Coordinates of all heavy atoms in Angstrom, one line a residue:
G1290 N -33.3 0.9 26.2 CA -33.7 -0.4 25.3 C -33.8 -0.1 23.9 O -34.4 -1.0 23.2
V1291 N -33.3 1.0 23.3 CA -33.4 1.3 21.8 C -32.0 0.9 21.3 O -31.0 1.6 21.6 CB -33.7 2.8 21.6 CG1 -33.8 3.0 20.1 CG2 -35.0 3.3 22.3
C1292 N -32.0 -0.2 20.5 CA -30.8 -0.7 20.0 C -30.8 -0.9 18.4 O -31.9 -0.8 17.9 CB -30.4 -1.9 20.7 SG -31.8 -3.2 20.5
S1293 N -29.7 -1.1 17.8 CA -29.7 -1.4 16.4 C -28.5 -2.3 16.1 O -27.3 -1.8 16.4 CB -29.8 -0.2 15.6 OG -29.8 -0.6 14.2
N1294 N -28.5 -3.3 15.2 CA -27.5 -4.0 14.8 C -26.8 -3.3 13.6 O -25.8 -3.8 13.1 CB -27.9 -5.4 14.3 CG -28.1 -6.4 15.4 OD1 -27.9 -6.0 16.6 ND2 -28.7 -7.5 15.2
Y1295 N -27.4 -2.2 13.1 CA -27.0 -1.6 11.9 C -25.7 -0.7 12.0 O -25.2 -0.2 11.0 CB -28.1 -0.9 11.1 CG -28.8 -1.9 10.3 CD1 -29.6 -2.9 10.7 CD2 -28.7 -1.9 8.8 CE1 -30.2 -3.8 9.8 CE2 -29.1 -2.7 8.0 CZ -29.9 -3.7 8.5 OH -30.5 -4.7 7.6
S1296 N -25.3 -0.5 13.2 CA -24.1 0.4 13.4 C -23.2 -0.4 14.4 O -23.6 -0.9 15.4 CB -24.5 1.7 13.9 OG -23.3 2.3 14.4
P1297 N -21.9 -0.3 14.0 CA -20.9 -0.9 15.0 C -20.9 -0.2 16.4 O -20.5 -0.8 17.3 CB -19.5 -0.7 14.3 CG -19.8 0.2 13.2 CD -21.1 0.2 12.8
D1298 N -21.4 1.1 16.3 CA -21.5 1.7 17.6 C -22.7 1.4 18.5 O -22.8 1.6 19.7 CB -21.7 3.3 17.3 CG -20.6 3.8 16.6 OD1 -19.4 3.2 16.8 OD2 -20.8 4.8 15.8
S1299 N -23.7 0.8 17.9 CA -24.9 0.3 18.7 C -25.2 -1.1 18.8 O -26.0 -1.6 19.5 CB -26.1 1.1 18.2 OG -26.4 0.7 16.7
V1300 N -24.4 -1.9 18.0 CA -24.6 -3.3 18.0 C -24.4 -4.1 19.3 O -25.2 -4.9 19.6 CB -24.0 -4.0 16.8 CG1 -22.4 -3.9 16.9 CG2 -24.4 -5.5 16.5
A1301 N -23.4 -3.7 20.0 CA -23.1 -4.3 21.2 C -24.3 -4.1 22.3 O -24.6 -5.0 23.2 CB -21.8 -3.9 21.9
Y1302 N -24.9 -2.9 22.1 CA -26.0 -2.6 23.1 C -27.2 -3.6 22.8 O -28.1 -3.8 23.7 CB -26.4 -1.1 22.8 CG -27.4 -0.7 23.8 CD1 -27.2 -0.7 25.2 CD2 -28.6 -0.1 23.4 CE1 -28.2 -0.2 26.1 CE2 -29.6 0.3 24.3 CZ -29.3 0.2 25.6 OH -30.3 0.7 26.6
T1303 N -27.4 -4.0 21.6 CA -28.5 -5.0 21.3 C -28.4 -6.1 22.4 O -29.3 -6.6 22.9 CB -28.5 -5.5 19.9 OG1 -28.5 -4.4 19.0 CG2 -29.6 -6.4 19.5
W1304 N -27.1 -6.7 22.3 CA -27.0 -7.8 23.2 C -27.2 -7.5 24.8 O -27.8 -8.2 25.5 CB -25.6 -8.6 23.0 CG -25.3 -9.7 23.8 CD1 -24.2 -10.0 24.6 CD2 -26.1 -10.9 24.1 NE1 -24.2 -11.1 25.2 CE2 -25.4 -11.7 24.9 CE3 -27.4 -11.3 23.6 CZ2 -25.9 -12.9 25.4 CZ3 -28.0 -12.5 24.1 CH2 -27.2 -13.3 24.9
E1305 N -26.7 -6.3 25.0 CA -26.9 -5.9 26.4 C -28.4 -5.7 26.7 O -28.8 -6.2 27.8 CB -26.4 -4.4 26.7 CG -24.9 -4.2 26.9 CD -24.4 -2.8 27.0 OE1 -25.1 -2.1 27.6 OE2 -23.4 -2.6 26.4
C1306 N -29.2 -5.2 25.8 CA -30.6 -5.2 26.0 C -31.3 -6.5 26.1 O -32.2 -6.7 26.9 CB -31.3 -4.4 24.8 SG -30.8 -2.6 24.8
L1307 N -30.9 -7.4 25.3 CA -31.5 -8.8 25.3 C -31.1 -9.4 26.7 O -32.0 -10.1 27.3 CB -30.8 -9.6 24.2 CG -31.5 -9.4 22.9 CD1 -30.9 -10.3 21.8 CD2 -33.0 -9.9 22.9
Q1308 N -30.0 -9.2 27.1 CA -29.6 -9.9 28.5 C -30.4 -9.3 29.6 O -30.7 -9.9 30.5 CB -28.1 -9.7 28.7 CG -27.3 -10.7 27.8 CD -25.8 -10.4 28.1 OE1 -25.3 -9.3 27.8 NE2 -25.0 -11.3 28.6
A1309 N -30.6 -7.9 29.5 CA -31.3 -7.2 30.6 C -32.8 -7.4 30.5 O -33.5 -7.1 31.5 CB -31.0 -5.7 30.4
F1310 N -33.3 -7.9 29.4 CA -34.7 -8.0 29.2 C -35.3 -9.1 30.1 O -34.8 -10.2 30.1 CB -35.1 -8.3 27.7 CG -36.5 -8.2 27.2 CD1 -37.1 -7.1 27.0 CD2 -37.2 -9.5 27.1 CE1 -38.4 -7.0 26.6 CE2 -38.4 -9.4 26.7 CZ -39.1 -8.2 26.4
R1311 N -36.4 -8.7 30.9 CA -36.9 -9.6 31.8 C -38.4 -9.9 31.6 O -39.2 -10.2 32.4 CB -36.8 -9.2 33.3 CG -35.3 -9.3 33.8 CD -35.0 -10.7 34.1 NE -33.5 -10.9 34.2 CZ -32.8 -11.4 33.2 NH1 -33.3 -11.8 32.1 NH2 -31.5 -11.6 33.3
G1312 N -38.8 -9.6 30.3 CA -40.2 -9.8 30.0 C -40.8 -8.4 29.6 O -40.2 -7.4 30.0
G1313 N -41.9 -8.4 28.9 CA -42.5 -7.2 28.4 C -42.6 -7.2 26.8 O -42.6 -8.2 26.2
N1314 N -42.6 -5.9 26.3 CA -42.8 -5.8 24.8 C -41.4 -5.6 24.1 O -40.7 -4.7 24.4 CB -43.6 -4.6 24.5 CG -45.0 -4.7 24.9 OD1 -45.5 -5.8 24.9 ND2 -45.6 -3.6 25.3
A1315 N -41.0 -6.6 23.2 CA -39.9 -6.5 22.4 C -40.4 -6.2 21.0 O -41.2 -7.0 20.4 CB -39.0 -7.8 22.5
I1316 N -39.9 -5.1 20.4 CA -40.4 -4.6 19.2 C -39.2 -4.6 18.2 O -38.1 -4.1 18.5 CB -40.9 -3.2 19.3 CG1 -42.0 -3.0 20.3 CG2 -41.5 -2.8 17.9 CD1 -43.2 -3.8 20.0
F1317 N -39.4 -5.0 17.0 CA -38.4 -5.1 16.0 C -38.9 -4.4 14.7 O -40.0 -4.7 14.3 CB -38.0 -6.6 15.6 CG -37.5 -7.3 16.8 CD1 -38.5 -7.9 17.7 CD2 -36.1 -7.3 17.2 CE1 -38.1 -8.6 18.8 CE2 -35.8 -8.0 18.4 CZ -36.7 -8.6 19.2
T1318 N -38.1 -3.4 14.1 CA -38.7 -2.7 13.0 C -37.8 -2.9 11.8 O -36.6 -3.2 11.8 CB -38.7 -1.2 13.3 OG1 -37.4 -0.7 13.2 CG2 -39.3 -0.9 14.6
Q1319 N -38.5 -2.8 10.6 CA -37.9 -2.8 9.4 C -38.5 -1.6 8.5 O -39.7 -1.5 8.4 CB -38.1 -4.1 8.6 CG -37.6 -4.1 7.2 CD -37.6 -5.5 6.5 OE1 -37.5 -6.5 7.3 NE2 -37.6 -5.5 5.2
P1320 N -37.6 -0.8 7.9 CA -38.2 0.3 7.1 C -38.7 -0.2 5.7 O -38.4 -1.4 5.4 CB -37.0 1.3 6.9 CG -35.9 0.3 6.9 CD -36.1 -0.8 7.8
P1321 N -39.4 0.6 5.0 CA -39.7 0.2 3.6 C -38.4 0.2 2.8 O -37.4 0.8 3.2 CB -40.5 1.3 3.0 CG -40.8 2.3 4.2 CD -39.9 2.0 5.3
P1322 N -38.4 -0.6 1.8 CA -37.1 -0.8 1.0 C -36.7 0.7 0.4 O -37.6 1.5 0.3 CB -37.3 -1.7 -0.2 CG -38.8 -2.0 0.0 CD -39.3 -1.4 1.2
P1323 N -35.4 1.0 0.2 CA -34.4 0.1 0.1 C -33.6 -0.1 1.5 O -33.7 0.8 2.3 CB -33.4 0.8 -0.8 CG -33.6 2.3 -0.5 CD -35.0 2.3 -0.3
L1324 N -33.0 -1.3 1.6 CA -32.2 -1.5 2.8 C -31.1 -2.6 2.5 O -31.4 -3.4 1.7 CB -33.0 -1.8 4.1 CG -33.7 -3.2 4.2 CD1 -33.9 -3.7 5.6 CD2 -35.0 -3.1 3.5
K1325 N -30.1 -2.5 3.1 CA -29.1 -3.6 2.9 C -29.3 -4.8 3.8 O -29.9 -4.6 4.8 CB -27.6 -3.1 3.1 CG -27.3 -2.6 4.6 CD -25.8 -2.1 4.6 CE -25.5 -1.1 5.7 NZ -24.1 -0.6 5.6
C1326 N -29.0 -5.8 3.3 CA -29.4 -7.2 3.9 C -30.9 -7.1 4.5 O -31.1 -7.1 5.7 CB -28.5 -7.6 5.0 SG -28.7 -9.3 5.4
A1327 N -31.8 -7.2 3.5 CA -33.2 -7.2 3.9 C -33.7 -8.1 4.9 O -34.8 -8.0 5.5 CB -34.1 -7.1 2.6
G1328 N -32.8 -9.2 5.1 CA -33.3 -10.2 6.0 C -32.9 -9.9 7.5 O -33.4 -10.4 8.5
A1329 N -31.8 -9.0 7.6 CA -31.3 -8.7 8.9 C -32.3 -8.2 9.9 O -32.1 -8.6 11.2 CB -30.1 -7.7 8.8
P1330 N -33.3 -7.4 9.7 CA -34.2 -7.0 10.7 C -35.0 -8.2 11.3 O -35.3 -8.0 12.5 CB -35.2 -6.0 9.9 CG -34.3 -5.6 8.7 CD -33.5 -6.6 8.3
Q1331 N -35.2 -9.2 10.5 CA -35.9 -10.3 11.0 C -35.0 -11.2 11.8 O -35.5 -11.9 12.8 CB -36.4 -11.3 9.9 CG -37.6 -10.8 9.2 CD -37.9 -11.7 8.0 OE1 -38.2 -12.9 8.2 NE2 -37.8 -11.3 6.7
K1332 N -33.7 -11.3 11.4 CA -32.9 -12.3 12.0 C -32.8 -12.0 13.5 O -32.8 -13.0 14.3 CB -31.5 -12.3 11.5 CG -31.4 -12.5 9.9 CD -30.0 -12.4 9.4 CE -29.9 -12.1 7.9 NZ -28.5 -11.9 7.5
I1333 N -32.7 -10.8 13.8 CA -32.5 -10.4 15.3 C -33.8 -10.7 16.1 O -33.6 -11.1 17.3 CB -31.9 -9.0 15.5 CG1 -31.5 -8.8 16.9 CG2 -32.9 -7.9 15.0 CD1 -30.4 -9.6 17.5

Side-chain angles (χ1 to χ4, degrees):
V1291 183
C1292 54
S1293 179
N1294 286 353
Y1295 269 73
S1296 163
D1298 301 329
S1299 58
V1300 61
Y1302 186 60
T1303 303
W1304 179 231
E1305 277 179 44
C1306 290
L1307 276 177
Q1308 285 175 296
F1310 189 79
R1311 289 280 161 267
N1314 291 328
I1316 308 292
F1317 304 85
T1318 74
Q1319 172 168 337
L1324 68 156
K1325 56 179 160 185
C1326 193
Q1331 282 176 66
K1332 302 179 202 179
I1333 188 61

